[in-house]
Amino acid sequence: MAKAHTFGFLGAKALFADAVGDVELAVLVDVEPSLAERTAHLLGFRESSADWRAVVARKDIDLIDIVAPNDLHHPMALAAIAEGKHVLCEKPLALTSAQAGELYQAASAAGIHHMVAFTYRLSPAVQLARNLIAGGELGRILQFHGLYFNDFGCDPNLPLSWRFQAARAGSGTSAGTGPHVIDLARYLVGEVAQVAGMRSTWVAKRPVAKDSRGDYFADAGPAASLGDVDVDDACSFLMRFEGEAMGTIQVSRCAPGRKDYLYVEVNGTEGSIVFNSERPSELQFYSSRDARTASGFRTILIGPMHAGAEAFWHLPGMGIGLAEARILQAREMLVALQSGKAPTPSFYDGWQSTRVVDAVVLSADDRRWTDLAEIDAAKSSVAAR
Amino acid sequence: MAKAHTFGFLGAKALFADAVGDVELAVLVDVEPSLAERTAHLLGFRESSADWRAVVARKDIDLIDIVAPNDLHHPMALAAIAEGKHVLCEKPLALTSAQAGELYQAASAAGIHHMVAFTYRLSPAVQLARNLIAGGELGRILQFHGLYFNDFGCDPNLPLSWRFQAARAGSGTSAGTGPHVIDLARYLVGEVAQVAGMRSTWVAKRPVAKDSRGDYFADAGPAASLGDVDVDDACSFLMRFEGEAMGTIQVSRCAPGRKDYLYVEVNGTEGSIVFNSERPSELQFYSSRDARTASGFRTILIGPMHAGAEAFWHLPGMGIGLAEARILQAREMLVALQSGKAPTPSFYDGWQSTRVVDAVVLSADDRRWTDLAEIDAAKSSVAAR
Amino acid sequence: MAKAHTFGFLGAKALFADAVGDVELAVLVDVEPSLAERTAHLLGFRESSADWRAVVARKDIDLIDIVAPNDLHHPMALAAIAEGKHVLCEKPLALTSAQAGELYQAASAAGIHHMVAFTYRLSPAVQLARNLIAGGELGRILQFHGLYFNDFGCDPNLPLSWRFQAARAGSGTSAGTGPHVIDLARYLVGEVAQVAGMRSTWVAKRPVAKDSRGDYFADAGPAASLGDVDVDDACSFLMRFEGEAMGTIQVSRCAPGRKDYLYVEVNGTEGSIVFNSERPSELQFYSSRDARTASGFRTILIGPMHAGAEAFWHLPGMGIGLAEARILQAREMLVALQSGKAPTPSFYDGWQSTRVVDAVVLSADDRRWTDLAEIDAAKSSVAAR
Amino acid sequence: MAKAHTFGFLGAKALFADAVGDVELAVLVDVEPSLAERTAHLLGFRESSADWRAVVARKDIDLIDIVAPNDLHHPMALAAIAEGKHVLCEKPLALTSAQAGELYQAASAAGIHHMVAFTYRLSPAVQLARNLIAGGELGRILQFHGLYFNDFGCDPNLPLSWRFQAARAGSGTSAGTGPHVIDLARYLVGEVAQVAGMRSTWVAKRPVAKDSRGDYFADAGPAASLGDVDVDDACSFLMRFEGEAMGTIQVSRCAPGRKDYLYVEVNGTEGSIVFNSERPSELQFYSSRDARTASGFRTILIGPMHAGAEAFWHLPGMGIGLAEARILQAREMLVALQSGKAPTPSFYDGWQSTRVVDAVVLSADDRRWTDLAEIDAAKSSVAAR
């Protein structure tokens, strides 16, 4: 993920030099000094460090980019804010909505620029979906149907990395990939009012890797003992939005063949859109206003005529995917530093998505519908974005 | 629908003459005598009638095929069973699971052949999915994700036909298209144990057509008054199956661009299948056992090597769709009459799907998880299929 | 193929009874009396015969439907015309354009109704393509790109059936599936003026089956000797149409995974259409007139709003495929008998496509561009359809 | 295109720092000094210049990357080679195969590293196709079917830029996008032996833009006069490969809806692959060795298990597209400078593709099959790659 973010900053520098100004990769931090050093060298950072607290306090650094495991987002972001640093933070913003709300309040109070890495929202295909909806092309929005399916979790030999431990990862897929879909639901439809969810853990024990940092595909080795998984492998929930729309979200890491499959469908009274992250250069769009004999889902290929994609490749069909979205995300943050314009999605969005996750987990645990107002209601009084 | 069923019987006769024996189209019944007569002539029935009670009592008829509005399924089927007739009934089998259970018990007691028109189950692509699952190709089944989306309901000018009235149609899309998806969930995964649902009605009033029979696309005319819709336009629910699998079902008639879109995805520990009724000649299949660098969803084209499709066209890719499935459905029923082999899906399946619908509606009304055991539990003691 | 045609007639009778009148299946003919008898029984014909000359002379028969191997089309059709019978003939109309022209002239002179089984032309998706083109939606037509790919020919163990012998099948895939694509090129773009082709035979010897009738998938058995294949396995050619359009056609029976894949793309100055027979219920349509940010190929699902599909199923997405096209083909012929309206595609179309095949074979043999005027030019003076 | 190449170098530096070493963007050259200066600033080059001859002679530069209009490739590359510089050159390598052969000979003699920007060959999806073929998964290769379709040429208001003038662009689409497809044909199947082609120019006059540099979408303005187009808008040709395979290639800039559509299908005796540049993260693969009831084209999502993609994103489905291919292309060249390993595709490949283009144009002009041996045959004696 450090590589992906660095790629985003360098790409933004290469393609948007006049908008983003000069960018220097200052310090790469990892808990293991040797890995920090090697990665810093590989990615072109000036320095490396194993002491993130020291780094966030440095005066020669403007922006802290947090891509550590989920449990570190809150302390790192809080410390960075306290030092007056601008912060880009990977999702989920925090393990609980209470912590996320605290971050949003602290960032707002400090007047820093804050952004959460809901990268898909920056994708030009999603921007187009939003513009079509905002322009009334879909009529009134009635339904949202979202998925985030992966398949790596099907492998019982995958080691017990931090992603399978609630203390470090939060509730599981619900907290890991769930926020991406929740953010798109909020972005394209509106605020979620009520949820009812269920969760499953199908692989209850996993081998303990010698290297506790265990990545996605590493082999735990033959002599590994088994440890308990206390997060969910899959989570599905029903949603009522504020207003008349309803929706569902399903996230799972046990869907063979779905490699990194974020699927979003929005139906309005007069049209529909479909976005599929595995075909990120396309947006499907149906309009009831087309001639009755010639209507059908259109496969729109994203290109230079679409907002956000103007500065990339000279023809549609040349591909505007996740790589480009990472560059756009970095640009959004860097432009904020240059221009003072607040970046989006902000910690407010990070906090709201975390509130939905908390409500879903509560509803699943209690087997009942849960109103978002139940979750950290006091914090809601903070002025919104 | 009468046309579709008649087509099925004639097709079965044309393609499976030695298995189905001679088939005579005896009497076509409609409440309006002139329409009955005209349709009988068009479709090649010997006679027409406006008195279904008289027809079910005739001694020269073996099989009653019920394609009337939903509220008539129960009285017609009950009368036919009482006369010892074999019965093929459109879904839903009845407006309530209590009535459906009564039909199943009566049919079992009478010893007649009974079948419910869950046509998709007969589709060779679905048969292949079932065979892959039964053969262990997907490993243990973990997830079911089903949709049935249409878009005709988005049009507020569509007249208030019987489909929009609970007294005649049952609960709405939940009772109308829902059972098709529920039947596939039961067929491919297993029995549903618990559900939590929600329902929405977005078009609450519709023009009252002068012709109360109002079809899908008829225009109600300019001077029409408005009447109340008391069924759902959309229904989504979470499911726990018996065992470890979980799933979701979403049905809607307000999804622009989704014309007749029944989508089913099943994920197991080692593979997945996807069926989409708008591409009925295809089954998507992913196997984790394929070489890691060469794995991907396969688009299997249904052809003569697949169970159920042997007798149709000589090459895959020539199309095995809903037309063919209707023929296979008719064959299943006609073979039962010839051979005595009980047809499937039976009234038992019709009843079970109705129990799930009732549980979903109850859960939506009460905003709580509902156990299937709450629904008509006493009847469950009837010996299963 | 007898089954497919019979299905068409029965389906037309079932769905279009008032337009097609009464239809009786009179006599099924096969060179083997026992097979003729069995098939007649299976398909519901009144009688069977092994003597086609006797059958075409019978006074109680109106229509001769020819589905015999290619070399028999000419003598059978000629004899039927001589007896004043109406004729529906499978493609190719004859083994040579000279013979095909003779048939067209004889049929015209006799005043009978004549039709060649270019079934795809009757498909509502192709009808829609034609209507969009005729309505100017694509602007001026510039390009045609057509394929007909199968894969059964890759199997070297497939027996040496008549399809692999030039004396019975004509030139090979060029004569077998080629005419389907050629007919669509003519129907959607216009007459072909010049061609340049190439042909390949990759499986030069095949096992001689004990049963010389060898079907597609039959096994020749272990002791089979090998015989020479003298037809092409694949043929590709360039085309200049009359006017400014150009095109290519590729046919092959050695394209693994392409089961029955007829693909047609037409590009005009302002739009494009794509038809793929493996997804026959869909037409892809692109219009340059759509908003620049919202343009893309539309997947139009064929349904009751499309010409030819009105009488089938009540919603788009329920599938209008080859089965339905066969019914429409039978209807076209039967309506001609009832109403006197000449059916289309006629023997004229059958003849023209054969002229293109002959020109392609000549051009491939001589390795040079060939003008259609070289082929049977004298016959072209016959007044066109 | 300068942007795309610069992005590639920066991306290679960001992701493959240890393999590619330090990379400095030295001098950006453009014929207009002010544009050169602005672009250099935007893209992060140290300097700018309007005098390419001076730049290629500088001693502090190792690599010359040529992205100028086609007619400048030959003089620029020749001068760079003469100065002992390594050269990466956009396709086509030169306007004629004679010039291209001269470049290959000069580069070979000089011992420099030379590479032509057939970017798609570097794409991991194409690498996978090559590996499947090399590994025998497709059996013997029989057919190649390639397209490169765009649609910008349909617009008659597009200005008469250098792309529409033979003196600067070569023969047209045949020379512009044709070489990309030809290179994939050579890479995946083998050398081309004979061709027969045809060419069309549908928009024969275009407005002369005030700015002669006219880009793809610029408006020529109202008062523009019209100038002659002397290149082809479309070109199709038949190919015989050395050995038994045959193929077709079609290129066009008048195919509405095809934005940047490079489509390649290869059929062997036991399998097929399909690559579509508009879905660059996918490879379609069919194997006849799959179980007969479960075979179908597989959609393989490119990810870290595939050669070339290891260093990018951590899951398949995250997208490996043209952006990534450009980085891999830059890496290939930079690694050559570091390690001495010759990069591929080389000027030899650039030359060979140009020979095919020349043969196609000759065959189209003379309306006859043309043997590749006719084209610059003397130069073929140069030892191959």
Side-chain angles (χ1 to χ4, degrees), chain B residues 1 3-4 6-7 10-11 13-19 38 41-44 120 148 150 152 163 216-217 257-260 277-282 284 299 301 304-305 310-319 321-324 326-327, chain C residues 1 3-4 6-7 10-11 13-19 38 41-44 120 148 150 152 163 216-217 257-260 277-282 284 299 301 304-305 310-319 321-324 326-327:
Chain B
M1 198 52 80
K3 185 166 60 179
T6 304
F7 175 86
L10 288 176
K13 186 179 164 184
L15 296 171
F16 306 102
D18 53 350
R38 192 163 68 87
H41 173 72
L42 276 177
L43 298 179
Y120 294 105
Y148 206 137
N150 300 100
F152 60 84
R163 291 181 187 276
Y216 279 109
F217 299 116
R258 302 303 190 185
K259 298 304 177 181
D260 196 51
S277 69
E278 291 182 350
R279 289 179 172 165
S281 294
E282 302 176 9
Q284 302 283 330
T299 301
L301 287 172
M305 65 284 286
E310 307 90 342
F312 289 100
W313 324 122
H314 62 287
L315 289 175
M318 289 188 154
L322 197 49
E324 285 80 4
R326 285 182 184 123
I327 293 171
Chain C
M1 198 52 80
K3 184 165 61 180
T6 304
F7 175 86
L10 288 176
K13 185 179 165 184
L15 296 171
F16 305 103
D18 53 350
R38 193 162 68 86
H41 173 71
L42 276 177
L43 298 179
Y120 294 104
Y148 206 136
N150 300 101
F152 60 85
R163 289 181 189 277
Y216 279 109
F217 298 117
R258 301 303 189 186
K259 298 303 179 183
D260 195 52
S277 69
E278 291 182 349
R279 288 179 172 167
S281 293
E282 303 176 7
Q284 302 283 329
T299 301
L301 287 171
M305 65 284 287
E310 307 90 342
F312 289 99
W313 324 123
H314 62 288
L315 290 175
M318 289 187 154
L322 197 49
E324 284 80 3
R326 285 182 184 122
I327 292 170

Side-chain angles (χ1 to χ4, degrees), chain A residues 28-85:
Chain A
L28 187 135
V29 181
D30 192 278
V31 66
E32 291 187 21
S34 64
L35 183 58
E37 188 181 341
R38 193 163 67 87
T39 306
H41 173 71
L42 275 176
L43 298 179
F45 281 75
R46 276 198 326 248
E47 300 175 38
S48 69
S49 169
D51 179 359
W52 66 262
R53 291 188 185 277
V55 171
V56 299
R58 282 171 60 153
K59 300 301 173 200
D60 60 339
I61 290 176
D62 298 310
L63 170 65
I64 302 293
D65 181 11
I66 301 172
V67 296
N70 299 356
D71 59 321
L72 293 172
H73 295 181
H74 178 259
M76 286 179 167
L78 209 56
I81 293 166
E83 298 286 347
K85 299 291 189 290

Side-chain angles (χ1 to χ4, degrees), chain C residues 152-165 169 203-231 233 253:
Chain C
F152 60 85
C154 295
D155 178 3
N157 297 319
L158 198 71
L160 187 67
S161 71
W162 66 266
R163 289 181 189 277
F164 297 104
Q165 300 171 2
V203 181
K205 289 185 182 296
R206 290 188 176 276
V208 178
K210 274 156 294 187
D211 172 3
S212 67
R213 301 166 51 91
D215 75 7
Y216 279 109
F217 298 117
D219 195 339
S225 62
L226 293 177
D228 289 334
V229 172
D230 59 358
V231 301
D233 286 328
R253 51 178 64 138

Side-chain angles (χ1 to χ4, degrees), chain D residues 286-346:
Chain D
Y286 178 89
S287 173
S288 301
R289 297 168 192 166
D290 283 344
R292 188 140 172 266
T293 53
S295 65
F297 272 95
R298 302 177 194 180
T299 301
I300 304 173
L301 287 171
I302 300 300
M305 64 284 287
H306 294 113
E310 307 90 343
F312 289 100
W313 324 122
H314 62 287
L315 289 175
M318 288 187 155
I320 300 291
L322 197 49
E324 285 80 4
R326 285 182 184 122
I327 293 170
L328 292 168
Q329 177 174 280
R331 180 183 70 166
E332 179 83 10
M333 190 76 226
L334 293 171
V335 163
L337 271 63
Q338 288 288 314
S339 71
K341 178 180 172 294
T344 177
S346 72

Side-chain angles (χ1 to χ4, degrees), chain A residues 3 10 14-15 17-18 42-43 216-217 259 278-279 282 301 311-314 316 318 322-324 326, chain D residues 3 10 14-15 17-18 42-43 216-217 259 278-279 282 301 311-314 316 318 322-324 326-327:
Chain A
K3 184 166 63 179
L10 289 176
L15 295 171
D18 53 349
L42 275 176
L43 298 179
Y216 278 109
F217 299 116
K259 299 302 178 182
E278 290 182 349
R279 289 180 171 165
E282 302 176 8
L301 287 171
F312 290 99
W313 323 123
H314 62 287
M318 289 188 155
L322 198 48
E324 285 80 4
R326 285 180 184 124
Chain D
K3 185 166 61 180
L10 288 176
L15 296 171
D18 52 351
L42 276 176
L43 297 180
Y216 280 109
F217 299 117
K259 299 303 179 183
E278 291 182 349
R279 288 178 171 167
E282 302 177 8
L301 287 171
F312 289 100
W313 324 122
H314 62 287
M318 288 187 155
L322 197 49
E324 285 80 4
R326 285 182 184 122
I327 293 170

